[in-house]
Amino acid sequence: MNFETIIGLEVHAQLLTKSKMFCRCSADYASAPPNTHVCPVCLGMPGVLPTINQQAVEYTIMTALALHCTISDYTKFDRKNYPYPDLMKGYQISQYDAPFGHRGWLTVEVNGERKKIGITRVHLEEDVAKLIHHTSPDGETYSLVDVNRAGVPLMEVVGEPDLRSPGEARQYLIKLRSILQYLGVSTGNMEEGSFRCDANISIRPENSPDSLAKVEVKNMNSFKAVYRALDHEAKRQRKVAAEGKRLVQETRGWVEERGRTVSQRSKEYAHDYRYFPEPDLPPLVLNRDWVEGIRSKLPELPEARRDRFVTEYGLSPYDANLLTSSQAMADYEEDLVKTGEPSHLSLTERAKLGSNWILGEISRIMNANNISIADFRERVSPERLSQLITLNSQGIVSASTAKPVFEEMFNTGRDATDIITQRGLSQISDTQEVREVISQVIQANAQAVADYKAGKEQALKFLVGQVMKITRGRANPNLAGKLIIEKLKEG
């Protein structure tokens, strides 16, 4: 029997506010000593009263608008009751039946086409404390609680089960994170825990509306982990079904080192959180003019920017999609183009050159050094890179030489012209000088010469390569090829 995979994602994103959700404690807790960003409110002390962080509310509505959600006229906060060591009060202030936004959507690229994925709801709650687990030298295990994270504004985006593969799920997460970064409401950093994902996955027979038992997968802290975990889980469920065994509704955790999911707890019955309206916070009636004011401040979002890169800059949809998936990368491309260099090239040509450098050498260096485009920009600004691109396009430095010059720019912070001048790397375009090297190459490579005269075009590339080798990449390759042909025709 053939099965279809059904996936829905629940994403939590910490919001970039200065203070916590319901108190004035600083939300910048990442590098702070444990339990230093705390007060009676986030410690859950008796008798304290929460107050709503307006900036967090605005950020949540901004996100809901960007995801095409309907914004509620009336909303409220609720108490979600459950006992757990990282929950200081014994309940979490969240939202239940009246979220800020509902019935939205975003699009992902599937086989070159855009697919609309539904958004069930966008709501706001508070984050919980962090448990740190230890094992003592004598083998005793214990846990410590750091309350710094408790109360940080946490936005949840619940997606519809419209995803049909791990690849689609990964694209959805990349797109959603990109939107949050463009809005400036979250860092979207999965490794630091500011962007977290739980996945619900099940399978169903093709052409059937009924899915088998749904499994929740947790502990995925990277896009790669999400893909691998869902791919493994989809295969595991198919294997269980093929063996005639019963799939059970449960929560499973992803174990990166073992490349598999493991059962954590059964979910035969939904947990009773005993939601009820938060008595210490008033309901919120959202003024429509205020909501429209937030809408008017929405920036150009990834999809619109991607389309503009295609129409205005003439980039391919593939390249434009890669560039605009990161706001910082798209900004680098725009700034590179806006320098107006190389001035003798058209806007489209400058954009294509910039795209080639960003998706090629810049991405290579970023991956090799494990840095972001923002870190790279601090070392090589768009203005300084445009100088190198100009020198290359003018024939002053060859493409093969431009790459090591670029790497030295990154490593030393020096300008391209300084490096080229000091190391004598400017391209040789003097005809007589190139002819002298060609004579040496022809004399030393009789077999290649014979092969070319016998009609083997590949031999010409070999001879040009030998010229480039002798000149250490400084010869103009087009000129070298032209002069070699002339020389061989002479006899």
Side-chain angles (χ1 to χ4, degrees):
M1 182 181 296
N2 293 323
F3 289 95
E4 183 180 31
T5 303
I6 310 297
I7 300 172
L9 300 181
E10 298 175 4
V11 177
H12 286 89
Q14 289 182 345
L15 298 178
L16 282 172
T17 56
K18 292 181 179 180
S19 60
K20 292 186 180 181
M21 185 63 224
F22 299 114
C23 67
R24 293 185 178 182
C25 289
S26 170
D28 185 17
Y29 68 90
S31 58
N35 299 316
T36 54
H37 290 207
V38 296
C39 72
V41 174
C42 48
L43 280 170
M45 302 298 287
V48 296
L49 291 174
T51 55
I52 299 172
N53 186 324
Q54 181 175 330
Q55 184 68 77
V57 172
E58 290 187 15
Y59 281 169
T60 304
I61 293 174
M62 185 183 295
T63 303
L65 290 170
L67 295 175
H68 312 283
C69 288
T70 299
I71 305 301
S72 302
D73 293 321
Y74 166 92
T75 185
K76 62 183 174 64
F77 286 97
D78 301 278
R79 286 192 182 183
K80 179 181 180 182
N81 296 273
Y82 63 95
Y84 204 69
D86 61 9
L87 198 61
M88 310 311 298
K89 301 186 290 286
Y91 63 86
Q92 180 187 36
I93 301 178
S94 182
Q95 291 186 295
Y96 178 49
D97 57 345
F100 284 106
H102 53 280
R103 297 197 307 273
W105 51 269
L106 63 73
T107 58
V108 297
E109 293 285 331
V110 179
N111 299 323
E113 296 183 1
R114 298 183 188 182
K115 177 179 179 180
K116 185 180 290 187
I117 307 299
I119 303 293
T120 307
R121 55 189 281 138
V122 179
H123 70 256
L124 185 56
E125 59 192 24
E126 59 180 335
D127 211 341
V128 296
K130 184 177 182 180
L131 292 179
I132 303 168
H133 306 290
H134 289 284
T135 302
S136 65
D138 58 1
E140 291 287 337
T141 59
Y142 62 97
S143 298
L144 302 175
V145 182
D146 180 4
V147 189
N148 282 345
R149 190 177 71 178
V152 168
L154 194 65
M155 178 176 63
E156 183 171 3
V157 179
V158 181
E160 292 284 328
D162 293 339
L163 300 163
R164 294 294 175 265
S165 72
E168 287 185 20
R170 179 171 55 188
Q171 288 298 106
Y172 173 95
L173 286 175
I174 291 172
K175 182 68 171 290
L176 178 57
R177 184 184 70 164
S178 180
I179 290 172
L180 299 185
Q181 291 175 334
Y182 270 70
L183 294 173
V185 303
S186 177
T187 64
N189 192 317
M190 290 192 79
E191 288 73 17
E192 293 178 357
S194 63
F195 187 78
R196 312 197 288 269
C197 167
D198 294 336
N200 293 302
I201 178 171
S202 61
I203 59 173
R204 69 184 179 195
E206 287 187 350
N207 303 316
S208 170
D210 300 321
S211 298
L212 304 185
K214 180 175 65 177
V215 171
E216 183 179 28
V217 182
K218 292 179 175 289
N219 303 335
M220 303 170 289
N221 62 0
S222 69
F223 295 129
K224 180 180 179 182
V226 171
Y227 179 89
R228 293 184 65 209
L230 294 178
D231 184 58
H232 165 82
E233 184 59 23
K235 291 176 180 175
R236 185 194 71 84
Q237 292 185 20
R238 281 173 168 79
K239 183 174 183 293
V240 171
E243 293 172 350
K245 298 177 182 178
R246 186 174 71 93
L247 284 163
V248 297
Q249 184 172 322
E250 61 180 336
T251 296
R252 299 179 68 88
W254 171 246
V255 183
E256 183 70 33
E257 298 78 14
R258 298 166 62 187
R260 58 179 299 178
T261 62
V262 296
S263 182
Q264 291 183 328
R265 61 181 179 269
S266 171
K267 295 192 71 173
E268 288 291 340
Y269 302 99
H271 187 72
D272 181 11
Y273 291 118
R274 305 189 316 281
Y275 282 101
F276 63 86
E278 170 57 58
D280 293 333
L281 293 172
L284 297 178
V285 178
L286 303 180
N287 181 282
R288 303 320 297 178
D289 290 339
W290 183 64
V291 172
E292 291 307 310
I294 295 175
R295 189 193 301 274
S296 69
K297 293 187 290 186
L298 290 178
E300 183 183 39
L301 294 173
E303 197 163 308
R305 200 174 197 184
R306 189 273 305 272
D307 292 344
R308 182 169 61 81
F309 273 24
V310 172
T311 57
E312 183 177 336
Y313 293 156
L315 295 175
S316 70
Y318 179 80
D319 286 355
N321 196 53
L322 290 176
L323 288 170
T324 56
S325 64
S326 160
Q327 184 182 27
M329 190 173 287
D331 287 346
Y332 197 99
E333 165 74 355
E334 294 247 42
D335 292 342
L336 194 57
V337 172
K338 289 176 181 177
T339 62
E341 297 293 337
S343 57
H344 63 283
L345 299 180
S346 68
L347 179 71
T348 299
E349 290 170 326
R350 293 200 302 271
K352 183 58 180 174
L353 282 173
S355 173
N356 290 343
W357 275 95
I358 293 171
L359 300 179
E361 288 302 298
I362 292 178
S363 293
R364 180 185 64 80
I365 279 191
M366 286 166 53
N367 292 332
N369 293 274
N370 194 28
I371 61 172
S372 66
I373 186 69
D375 297 327
F376 173 84
R377 186 179 184 129
E378 290 181 1
R379 301 198 194 186
V380 183
S381 68
E383 293 75 19
R384 292 177 59 221
L385 179 59
S386 70
Q387 181 188 69
L388 176 61
I389 293 175
T390 298
L391 294 172
N392 175 222
S393 67
Q394 291 176 339
I396 296 172
V397 62
S398 68
S400 59
T401 302
K403 292 180 180 180
V405 170
F406 166 74
E407 189 143 1
E408 190 164 336
M409 290 171 64
F410 172 78
N411 291 328
T412 66
R414 296 168 58 201
D415 287 337
T417 50
D418 294 341
I419 297 169
I420 292 167
T421 301
Q422 183 184 43
R423 295 180 56 188
L425 297 175
S426 57
Q427 187 164 260
I428 301 171
S429 295
D430 180 83
T431 302
Q432 184 56 39
E433 189 174 352
V434 176
R435 279 199 174 108
E436 291 174 2
V437 176
I438 287 172
S439 296
Q440 298 175 36
V441 169
I442 289 176
Q443 290 178 5
N445 296 277
Q447 183 59 52
V449 170
D451 288 344
Y452 175 75
K453 290 182 176 180
K456 296 181 180 179
E457 292 293 328
Q458 194 67 24
L460 178 61
K461 293 183 180 179
F462 172 80
L463 294 171
V464 171
Q466 294 303 300
V467 173
M468 300 303 292
K469 182 178 180 180
I470 292 174
T471 61
R472 293 179 299 153
R474 294 177 58 215
N476 184 315
N478 293 328
L479 177 62
K482 178 182 175 182
L483 294 178
I484 289 172
I485 292 173
E486 290 180 1
K487 182 72 173 177
L488 294 179
K489 283 182 178 179
E490 291 173 2

